[in-house]
Amino acid sequence: MNTGSKNTIAVVLAAGKGTRMKSSTPKVLHEIFNIPLLGWVLKSLGDIESVIVTGSGRELVEAYLEDKNVKTAYQAEQLGTGHALSCAVSQIPDDFSGNILVLCGDTPLITNETLTSFIKYHNREESPLSVMTSILDNPYGYGRIVRDGFGCISKIVEQKDCTQEQAEINEINTGVYLLNYKLIVPLLSEIKNNNNQGEYYLTDIISLAVKHGLKPSAYCIKNFEEVFGVNSKQDLAAAFKIMNARHIDYLMTKGVTVCDPNNTYISPETEIEADTIVLPSCYIENKNYIASGCKIGPMAHLRGNCTIGEGCKIGNFVELKNATVKPHTNIAHLTYVGDAEIGSNVNIGAGTIFANYNSVTKEKKKSYLADGVSIGSNSVLVAPVELGENAFVAAGTVVTKSAEENSLVITRAPQKEIKNWIRSKK
Ligand code: UD1
Ligand code: CA
């Protein structure tokens, strides 16, 4: 992230229990396309320094964060969002004079662009405290933004504390804030828990700022989807759907043909070039790169770390993992390719298996197929094997040794014909 992010430290609130998930896994570790909700939030933060507040399921959350280059702060008891933020203060340098960006660990759809614009807005306004808000048709459940006679934000009222009149306000608190560390953090100690939930609400910081003569501002975003919070398994499925749709829309905008977006699943980590066609029921997870002019599917499964060159065909019931496929190669039917480097103009027949895993030694081995190789149907390639240019593997072969260019490889038992065999049985 650029403008203004240098003097920003993010605090991600992730200590809540997530009771409604009904799960032994902490809420923020539930995954969308194999990345935890919290991981998506961290991605949106780019290179902003962050402190993650952990609590429920602390060990698991901290284990996940171990290699993420973030600090963590522990909130032993979940006394509310205001209390959670004060727990993070110990991890922020005393002489810090920038802004704190507060967001929640359960909003995986927030984007770097929106956070960047929010930071720019906050800096331009020279605001001591900015709240990201949105207008909802059905604001039920959210904190409401209360404005004074001049249209300035004066406080946030939680659903459970709303008067009938306040409940009709459509502008809601998204739970994303930017606050001037030096001016606002000292006010955290003034937050009280005299509300209907007996919690220390971070939202009370707004009226406290006003009381101290500091004018908060509100940054209203149009795309509410971005701050959609995941609280239940239903929400998790909804967030998955939105994230998938958003990425497929991006791919279509750049020229990828997706025949049936509602029945196609492509991780945002996968990049696909224009003029590739993705047929229905493909599941493409993790990081992959697919060049242009390919035909993928129907019903293909790319599991990650795959690079597919131009003009390839990856057909039905083909599973690929950790594979590089050079241009104009066909892997058209019922095949598993794991841990392989495959040249260009290769043809892999139906029902080919790359046996890459030894379940005794637990080792995975790689295979190499040079340009022009042809694999006959129902063959097994027991890794590691290396096949030279234009090598030809006959159908039904179990390849256990490498072979030179232009060779025929065949392990087939000779065909026998026993004449009149049927009659002799009668
Ligand atoms: C909060 C806001 C509400 C806003 C909504 C937006 C408050 C009081 N209310 O409500 O105005 O409209 O978010 O989604 O802030 N957490 C902790 N420690 C705690 C409590 C919560 O870390 O003690 C974390 C949770 O893990 C979660 C986040 O803070 O990631 C928000 O908490 P949650 O209980 O979901 O707040 P909401 O009721 O959604
Ligand atoms: Ca929430």
Side-chain angles (χ1 to χ4, degrees), residues 13-16 75 78-81 84 104-106 142-143 158 173-174 201 203:
L13 308 182
Q75 185 191 24
Q78 282 68 64
L79 302 177
T81 47
C104 299
D106 62 358
Y142 290 94
E158 289 305 294
N173 169 27
T174 66
Y201 291 164
T203 44

Side-chain angles (χ1 to χ4, degrees), residues 138-196:
N138 176 14
Y140 186 84
Y142 290 94
R144 305 300 206 287
I145 304 297
V146 179
R147 291 177 182 265
D148 64 18
F150 302 99
C152 298
I153 172 169
S154 59
K155 62 177 171 179
I156 297 175
V157 186
E158 289 305 294
Q159 178 72 49
K160 288 186 178 144
D161 304 294
C162 273
T163 63
Q164 219 166 10
E165 201 182 333
Q166 287 164 340
E168 276 167 25
I169 299 172
N170 286 88
E171 189 178 9
I172 60 99
N173 169 27
T174 66
V176 185
Y177 318 80
L178 268 161
L179 45 98
N180 180 303
Y181 184 72
K182 285 252 148 79
L183 294 175
I184 302 297
V185 165
L187 309 185
L188 286 176
S189 59
E190 293 182 35
I191 294 178
K192 304 257 176 348
N193 65 350
N194 54 349
N195 49 57
N196 281 335

Side-chain angles (χ1 to χ4, degrees), residues 20 27 104 106 229-231:
R20 283 167 287 173
K27 173 162 89 171
C104 299
D106 62 358
V230 173
N231 294 315

Side-chain angles (χ1 to χ4, degrees), residues 182-253:
K182 285 252 148 79
L183 294 175
I184 302 297
V185 165
L187 309 185
L188 286 176
S189 59
E190 293 182 35
I191 294 178
K192 304 257 176 348
N193 65 350
N194 54 349
N195 49 57
N196 281 335
Q197 300 188 84
E199 286 184 8
Y200 296 90
Y201 291 164
L202 178 54
T203 44
D204 285 352
I205 203 75
I206 307 292
S207 50
L208 280 169
V210 172
K211 194 177 117 193
H212 286 264
L214 299 163
K215 187 172 165 282
S217 35
Y219 180 74
C220 189
I221 60 160
K222 285 205 187 77
N223 187 2
F224 175 72
E225 259 177 17
E226 285 201 28
V227 285
F228 177 69
V230 173
N231 294 315
S232 64
K233 295 284 165 72
Q234 285 86 343
D235 291 342
L236 185 66
F240 173 88
K241 217 168 182 171
I242 296 169
M243 192 181 283
N244 186 48
R246 198 156 79 178
H247 188 56
I248 289 179
D249 188 69
Y250 152 81
L251 292 171
M252 292 195 295
T253 304

Side-chain angles (χ1 to χ4, degrees), residues 5-23:
S5 66
K6 289 268 180 302
N7 69 341
T8 303
I9 295 179
V11 173
V12 183
L13 308 182
K17 199 160 171 231
T19 317
R20 283 167 287 173
M21 295 302 274
K22 309 261 168 64
S23 171

Side-chain angles (χ1 to χ4, degrees), residues 28 30-46 64 103-105 107-112 115 243 246 266-270 286:
V28 293
H30 281 76
E31 297 179 344
I32 299 181
F33 282 119
N34 307 322
I35 294 179
L37 301 177
L38 182 57
W40 288 111
V41 174
L42 294 181
K43 273 178 182 290
S44 77
L45 289 170
Y64 169 70
L103 64 173
C104 299
T107 53
L109 299 167
I110 188 97
T111 64
N112 184 268
L115 292 177
M243 192 181 283
R246 198 156 79 178
I266 307 175
S267 163
E269 294 198 296
T270 288
N286 300 319

